[in-house]
Amino acid sequence: MCVGGGTSATTALRFNVVAKCTTSRARVAEMTLPHSVVDTPVFMPVGTQGTLKGLIPQQLVDLDCRIMLSNTYHLGNRPGEEVLLAAGGLHKFMNWDRSLLTDSGGFQMVSLLKLCEITEEGVNFESPYDGSKCMLTPERSIEIQQAIGADIMMQLDDVVDATHTDAARFEEARHRTVRWLDRCITAHTRPDKQNLFPIVQGGLSEEKRRDCAEQLTKRAVPGFAIGGLSGGEDKDTFCKIVKVSAESLPDTKPRYVMGVGHQVDIIVCVALGSDMFDCVFPTRTARFGSALVFEHPGDLNLKKAKFRTDFRPIDESCNCSTCANYTRAYLHSVVTKENSACHLVTVHNVAHQLNLMKRARESIKEDRFPDFVAEFMERLYPDHQYPAWAENALKGVGINLRHSESKAVEKS
């Protein structure tokens, strides 16, 4: 049963915290959803149209990916609600028997701002496909998401770019997000099969974030998201908003920071008490020939000539099929030239993110998360020139990278 905040209600999610870091706010939990048990902290690959570019669902299963993300707005346009209903939902349509999370379409208020008009009723979009008009209301968003059949649905929220300068617009969006949540809850008719997460808004104001979280936690919902970030705000402010938002949400329910995919950002957010993350970055950067690694500088630009005769795998510690079968030299010869390269590097980058989360979870269970973070950061920054924002955020939850550095010197 889902507890913590709001009144009791039927839910399709169980969230069991199994370990906590005794220094920071990091934690490990088992999140049981209708289609899979998801271990958190978790990174969710993004398959906007029900597919990751370059991969098939079975390959995600082979990587032990338990949950992926798709987008309501785009799926509502193509293939459309009618086709998804006829297929029996997106799980059957794409042959994926594990969990799905769907974005409500709210982010398109930012990404397609020039093509939409926002009112109290909803968002009136001009289709980027054929120019036709489409009104996406909270009710319509839930209707499409129920046709998709996602394990976790996001409320339609009023999203404002974090770098926006109009304080009145942030205030309007914060209150409208709460009103739209109530409309989503009313429209949600399958709480025993699908979960609805509200989204904390409030711009870059800590006070407004706390107030929004307070309003949302009065509703009987199984989890929460932190939205309106990763839009160009400075990283110090980003971390402060994630921290205050996470602290304002119940310990007994999952916390999802939307749009976070860079590995340092993820680890910092884990330390701040967040459980779920998604981003197109790992798959998008793969299409440009960039492979993610744990060593400095964090990625390999395989297009560079230095890899022409490098016969090592991308990462010798990685167990993905790309690293088991192909060398950097081979990948160098095909990246950005052959479609197979996109496939091969995408497999690795998704595996990298999943391995990062697995290592973080193991360290939390063994109560050595601060040491894990220090080792992780030192591999990425061997000169100890850590990003000030990351160092400050970690210090704010008890993880002192310089203290760990001093201990390493003492041991030597």
Side-chain angles (χ1 to χ4, degrees):
M1 180 177 180
C2 179
V3 295
T7 56
S8 62
T10 303
T11 179
L13 182 153
R14 292 197 308 274
F15 189 71
N16 179 35
V17 177
V18 298
K20 292 183 178 181
C21 172
T22 55
T23 301
S24 70
R25 290 177 53 80
R27 61 193 188 162
V28 170
E30 291 178 350
M31 181 170 64
T32 303
L33 297 168
H35 288 89
S36 63
V37 177
V38 178
D39 297 321
T40 70
V42 62
F43 176 80
M44 302 176 288
V46 177
T48 300
Q49 297 276 176
T51 180
L52 269 72
K53 288 183 173 63
L55 297 191
I56 60 174
Q58 183 57 48
Q59 289 173 298
L60 290 177
V61 172
D62 293 343
L63 293 172
D64 198 24
C65 175
R66 309 282 183 85
I67 182 170
M68 63 174 287
L69 183 144
S70 291
N71 182 272
T72 298
Y73 171 80
H74 290 292
L75 286 167
N77 277 288
R78 176 170 61 85
E81 179 187 3
E82 184 178 340
V83 172
L84 290 167
L85 284 170
L90 184 58
H91 287 92
K92 291 183 179 179
F93 189 60
M94 64 178 288
N95 193 28
W96 172 251
D97 63 1
R98 298 189 175 191
S99 296
L100 285 169
L101 181 149
T102 42
D103 183 7
S104 65
F107 177 70
Q108 276 62 49
M109 294 181 204
V110 174
S111 64
L112 299 176
L113 183 60
K114 293 180 180 179
L115 299 175
C116 71
E117 177 188 3
I118 305 165
T119 66
E120 186 63 27
E121 182 183 1
V123 191
N124 197 13
F125 286 101
E126 179 182 314
S127 171
Y129 302 105
D130 60 12
S132 62
K133 293 290 186 178
C134 168
M135 173 60 78
L136 185 66
T137 64
E139 294 80 7
R140 181 62 179 146
S141 175
I142 294 300
E143 185 180 11
I144 298 171
Q145 291 186 83
Q146 290 189 157
I148 292 169
D151 297 70
I152 298 175
M153 307 184 295
M154 304 309 300
Q155 76 153 114
L156 183 66
D157 56 334
D158 189 353
V159 185
V160 183
D161 190 323
T163 60
H164 204 75
T165 56
D166 186 351
R169 178 70 184 95
F170 279 117
E171 190 72 358
E172 175 187 50
R174 174 169 64 102
H175 292 294
R176 181 176 286 153
T177 290
V178 177
R179 293 193 298 270
W180 281 3
L181 170 62
D182 288 335
R183 289 168 60 184
C184 287
I185 290 173
T186 300
H188 180 23
T189 60
R190 308 178 72 222
D192 59 327
K193 294 181 173 65
Q194 294 180 270
N195 300 284
L196 175 62
F197 280 21
I199 304 172
V200 178
Q201 293 290 352
L204 303 181
S205 164
E206 295 182 31
E207 178 185 356
K208 291 177 181 178
R209 289 279 175 166
R210 288 191 188 94
D211 179 73
C212 188
E214 181 182 356
Q215 297 305 313
L216 299 181
T217 54
K218 293 177 181 178
R219 278 71 177 172
V221 292
F224 299 87
I226 300 168
L229 295 172
S230 300
E233 71 279 357
D234 69 85
K235 286 295 185 68
D236 276 309
T237 302
F238 166 83
C239 292
K240 289 176 184 176
I241 296 302
V242 170
K243 184 173 186 289
V244 73
S245 298
E247 289 173 346
S248 302
L249 296 171
D251 287 336
T252 52
K253 298 184 180 183
R255 310 177 188 119
Y256 162 32
V257 184
M258 307 176 78
V260 172
H262 292 266
Q263 54 187 339
V264 174
D265 299 23
I266 290 175
I267 293 302
V268 169
C269 286
V270 169
L272 297 177
S274 303
D275 307 299
M276 302 165 64
F277 312 94
D278 81 282
C279 192
V280 298
F281 168 71
T283 49
R284 178 175 289 167
T285 198
R287 298 196 291 276
F288 294 96
S290 181
L292 303 179
V293 292
F294 291 109
E295 309 294 338
H296 176 78
D299 63 342
L300 303 178
N301 182 351
L302 293 167
K303 293 179 290 185
K304 290 186 175 181
K306 68 179 182 179
F307 295 114
R308 189 170 65 88
T309 57
D310 188 339
F311 299 106
R312 295 173 294 169
I314 295 171
D315 180 350
E316 292 176 350
S317 68
C318 180
N319 58 0
C320 77
S321 58
T322 300
C323 288
N325 295 292
Y326 300 95
T327 66
R328 299 176 182 185
Y330 173 76
L331 295 168
H332 166 77
S333 73
V334 296
V335 289
T336 72
K337 301 180 186 72
E338 304 291 343
N339 290 336
S340 60
C342 166
H343 163 84
L344 293 170
V345 182
T346 298
V347 167
H348 168 77
N349 282 2
V350 172
H352 176 89
Q353 298 293 86
L354 299 180
N355 286 333
L356 174 65
M357 295 288 87
K358 182 178 180 181
R359 294 179 188 187
R361 291 194 300 267
E362 290 173 348
S363 73
I364 297 167
K365 287 180 181 179
E366 297 168 4
D367 202 13
R368 55 176 183 83
F369 181 68
D371 289 337
F372 164 78
V373 173
E375 293 163 6
F376 166 78
M377 293 293 286
E378 188 165 20
R379 290 176 70 182
L380 282 176
Y381 303 96
D383 59 358
H384 300 152
Q385 297 299 306
Y386 307 118
W389 65 267
E391 192 169 1
N392 292 337
L394 292 168
K395 190 178 295 184
V397 287
I399 300 177
N400 189 332
L401 296 177
R402 302 296 171 181
H403 177 66
S404 299
E405 179 184 318
S406 298
K407 287 198 299 184
V409 171
E410 288 174 10
K411 287 181 181 179
S412 62

